Amino acid sequence: MDAFAFSPAPSPNAAPFPSASPSSRGHRFSIRGPRRRRPLPALRSSAAPSASHHDVVVVGAGIVGLSIARHLLLHTPLSVAVADAAVPCSGATGAGQGYVWMSHRTPGSDTWDLAVRSKQLWEDLAAEMDGLRAGGARESLGWMKTGSLLVGRTSKELATLEEKTKVLSQAGINAECLSASSLHALEPALCVRNDGGAMFLPEDRQIDVFQAVSLIEKINRSYSPKGRYMELYNDPAMSLIRSEVTGRVEGVQTSKNILYGRKATVVASGAWTRSLLHSFLGPNSTLDIPVKPRKGHLLVLENFDMLKLNHGIMELGYVDHQGDNSHSIHLSSTSNKDEHDAASISMTATLNTKGHLVLGSSREFKGFSREVDKSILKSIWDRAGEFFPAINNVHLDIDEDKEIRIGHRPYMPDGKPVIGFVPDMSNVLIATGHEGSGLALFCEMAS
C-alpha cells in the first residue's frame, strides 16, 4: 500500500473541496469487478422525508466527522449537515481514554505527519480556550498537561524504549528515557523491575472526549442561525441519492430526511463504514474497504483514591496493538479458534479531571457486540495490579454500578487510515480506519 493521505480526485471535473494533504499519495481502495453505472434507487418511505440542501453532507458524528464539519465551518463559506445513526460519543470516540500522545508514534511512518499536525491543532484549540473563558481548556476540553510514560519492565523492553527515545528526540520531540529509580521518583505507585524503565514525553497531553466533543458541537451549532449547519442524530443514513442522468451522487437519504450535498458527501462512520458502503452501493458493489470493528473495554472507577497518578501511563505492549506482540497478555477465544480472534490486554492508566481512574485496555474481534465481558474486565484489573501493587489489596466487584466503556475501533489490516475519494465517485470521500487513534489523527480530513 502507498502512504496514506488524500487520494487525488478521480475526475478532473470533481466539485472543489478543500484538502490539506501532507503528500500526494493515497491509501488505495480495493476494487473488484466491473464499474457500477446504474443509479441507486431512492429509499421508499410511507412518510415523505424532509429535504434540505447543503454544500457538504458528513455521515458520522464521531470526533473525525464533527471535526471535518468544524473545519469547513471555520475556514470556508460552505454549509454542512452531519447525520449519525446514534449520538456523538456512542461509538469509538466515547470509549477512549483521551490520549493526545506522540509516545507511540514513529517518525517517518505513514501517520507521523498527521499525528504531529493533529497534536498541534489540539494545542491551538486549548490555547484558544485558555484565552477565551474562565476555566480555560481544562474546563472546556478536559485538557491536562500530564505528559506520558511508556513503560517497560525488562531489559529488552528498556532497550526498545531507549531506541524510541533516540528516534523521537531526533525528530524534535522532547523525550527522555528513565531508569527504574528515576521512574519511581515521578510515579511512586508504579512498580517496574530494576532492569525496567520508561520513556517520558513531558509535552504529551490528554483530554476528556465528552467535554471535547461537546465543545466542538457548540462551535458547530453557532453556525446554525446563519443557515450553515444542521445536525441530525438518531437518524441513520440509508442510501445515496444519485442523478438518474449522470449517476453523480447528489446527497444522502436518511431514515427521516433527504440531505442534498452540492459539493461533497463525506463518509466518516468509523467501524461501520464497510457495511454502510455496502448498503449504499448494493450487492454488486465494486468497492471493498476491509475496515472491521475491533472491540475494546475500559473500566472507570469514580473518585478512586487508592491510586494516585501524576502522568498518563501505558505499557509498551500497547504500541504493538496492530499485530500480535509479546508485551501484552493474550486470552484464548472461546468462540473462535482463530488466533487473530483472541483478546489482547495492555495496561493503560489515567486520571481524568474529575479524579476518576480510567483503566484499559482490551482489543478483540467480536463483531459489533456491545456485551460486557466480565473476564476481560478482570484481566484489565489484574494486569493493572502487576504495575500498581496498591490495588491488589482492593476487591473489585464487577457487578457494582461502575462505568464501563465499550467501543469498536475501526481497524484496518495494514494499520493505515483510509482517506480519500471513492473511485468512480468524484464527490464522495471517506475517512476511516484510524483504529484507536481517532483523537491523535483527528486532522486527517479536518484541515
Side-chain angles (χ1 to χ4, degrees):
M1 288 286 186
D2 291 337
F4 97 94
F6 274 107
S7 302
S11 167
N13 299 317
F17 191 75
S19 162
S21 167
S23 78
S24 62
R25 294 179 294 169
H27 196 314
R28 304 302 183 211
F29 295 92
S30 173
I31 303 297
R32 299 195 305 263
R35 175 179 175 180
R36 180 184 177 88
R37 296 182 182 275
R38 296 180 60 188
L40 295 178
L43 181 71
R44 296 185 180 275
S45 173
S46 57
S50 173
S52 57
H53 295 263
H54 316 271
D55 291 313
V56 180
V57 175
V58 179
V59 180
I63 192 65
V64 174
L66 290 173
S67 296
I68 291 169
R70 173 181 176 271
H71 177 84
L72 294 175
L73 293 167
L74 288 174
H75 302 290
T76 78
L78 301 177
S79 59
V80 185
V82 176
D84 197 284
V87 296
C89 290
S90 58
T93 297
Q97 282 180 279
Y99 291 136
V100 184
W101 285 13
M102 299 302 293
S103 63
H104 52 310
R105 304 293 164 201
T106 302
S109 67
D110 295 321
T111 58
W112 175 255
D113 288 342
L114 286 186
V116 172
R117 175 63 174 151
S118 291
K119 185 172 185 296
Q120 186 59 55
L121 288 175
W122 282 119
E123 295 277 4
D124 293 345
L125 181 57
E128 180 183 345
M129 292 302 104
D130 281 337
L132 285 179
R133 62 186 70 187
R138 183 180 178 90
E139 182 177 303
S140 58
L141 287 171
W143 185 254
M144 297 177 68
K145 299 180 178 181
T146 57
S148 69
L149 289 168
L150 189 61
V151 179
R153 298 191 296 166
T154 67
S155 57
K156 181 179 179 180
E157 291 179 356
L158 183 58
T160 299
L161 292 170
E162 289 172 344
E163 180 60 27
K164 286 184 66 67
T165 302
K166 178 181 177 181
V167 171
L168 286 170
S169 297
Q170 290 173 345
I173 302 298
N174 184 3
E176 179 183 0
C177 195
L178 305 176
S179 65
S181 58
S182 297
L183 176 60
H184 181 73
L186 283 181
E187 285 289 352
L190 177 63
C191 181
V192 299
R193 301 172 185 134
N194 291 334
D195 52 356
M199 181 176 69
F200 177 40
L201 269 63
E203 295 176 6
D204 276 356
R205 306 290 186 249
Q206 70 183 66
I207 64 172
D208 183 298
V209 292
F210 294 92
Q211 290 175 255
V213 164
S214 179
L215 173 64
I216 294 173
E217 284 185 291
K218 183 177 181 180
I219 294 171
N220 291 352
R221 288 167 182 165
S222 69
Y223 289 86
S224 294
K226 305 171 186 178
R228 290 187 55 205
Y229 182 68
M230 177 184 290
E231 61 187 32
L232 302 105
Y233 297 157
N234 296 307
D235 191 9
M238 308 296 289
S239 65
L240 295 177
I241 300 169
R242 299 181 72 167
S243 168
E244 295 183 358
V245 177
T246 65
R248 186 176 187 268
V249 173
E250 297 180 334
V252 175
Q253 181 149 5
T254 69
S255 63
K256 305 171 186 175
N257 295 275
I258 294 176
L259 306 174
Y260 289 103
R262 288 181 287 263
K263 301 290 187 181
T265 296
V266 182
V267 180
S269 49
W272 287 265
T273 298
R274 187 181 196 183
S275 58
L276 183 60
L277 284 175
H278 286 176
S279 174
F280 278 177
L281 303 178
N284 297 321
S285 171
T286 62
L287 177 66
D288 183 48
I289 299 174
V291 64
K292 61 189 296 188
R294 203 175 194 186
K295 182 180 179 181
H297 288 68
L298 286 179
L299 179 63
V300 182
L301 302 175
E302 296 186 1
N303 302 313
F304 190 78
D305 59 3
M306 297 295 294
L307 184 63
K308 299 298 182 183
L309 300 180
N310 301 315
H311 307 83
I313 302 173
M314 174 190 295
E315 70 167 296
L316 181 60
Y318 187 93
V319 179
D320 301 320
H321 65 259
Q322 293 291 352
D324 193 19
N325 68 82
S326 59
H327 302 292
S328 56
I329 292 178
H330 292 264
L331 307 176
S332 298
S333 170
T334 58
S335 60
N336 193 316
K337 295 182 180 180
D338 186 351
E339 182 178 342
H340 191 56
D341 194 47
S344 175
I345 308 293
S346 299
M347 184 281 295
T348 60
T350 55
L351 282 177
N352 64 20
T353 54
K354 302 177 181 67
H356 302 339
L357 177 65
V358 184
L359 294 176
S361 66
S362 67
R363 281 178 159 81
E364 59 180 333
F365 296 100
K366 292 289 186 182
F368 287 100
S369 166
R370 295 190 66 87
E371 182 180 355
V372 173
D373 188 330
K374 293 181 181 180
S375 68
I376 294 289
L377 295 176
K378 184 178 186 305
S379 294
I380 288 174
W381 181 255
D382 291 345
R383 186 66 171 173
E386 296 180 26
F387 291 84
F388 304 104
I391 71 173
N392 289 325
N393 297 323
V394 178
H395 174 67
L396 177 68
D397 187 348
I398 297 175
D399 292 321
E400 285 185 358
D401 185 21
K402 294 181 175 64
E403 181 184 350
I404 299 168
R405 300 178 186 174
I406 294 177
H408 299 93
R409 307 171 182 91
Y411 169 87
M412 283 291 290
D414 63 2
K416 300 177 186 178
V418 183
I419 304 171
F421 289 88
V422 174
D424 300 330
M425 296 184 183
S426 63
N427 62 335
V428 179
L429 299 101
I430 289 178
T432 188
H434 48 71
E435 221 270 353
S437 299
L439 293 176
L441 299 177
F442 92 123
C443 80
E444 55 192 38
M445 282 189 64
S447 61

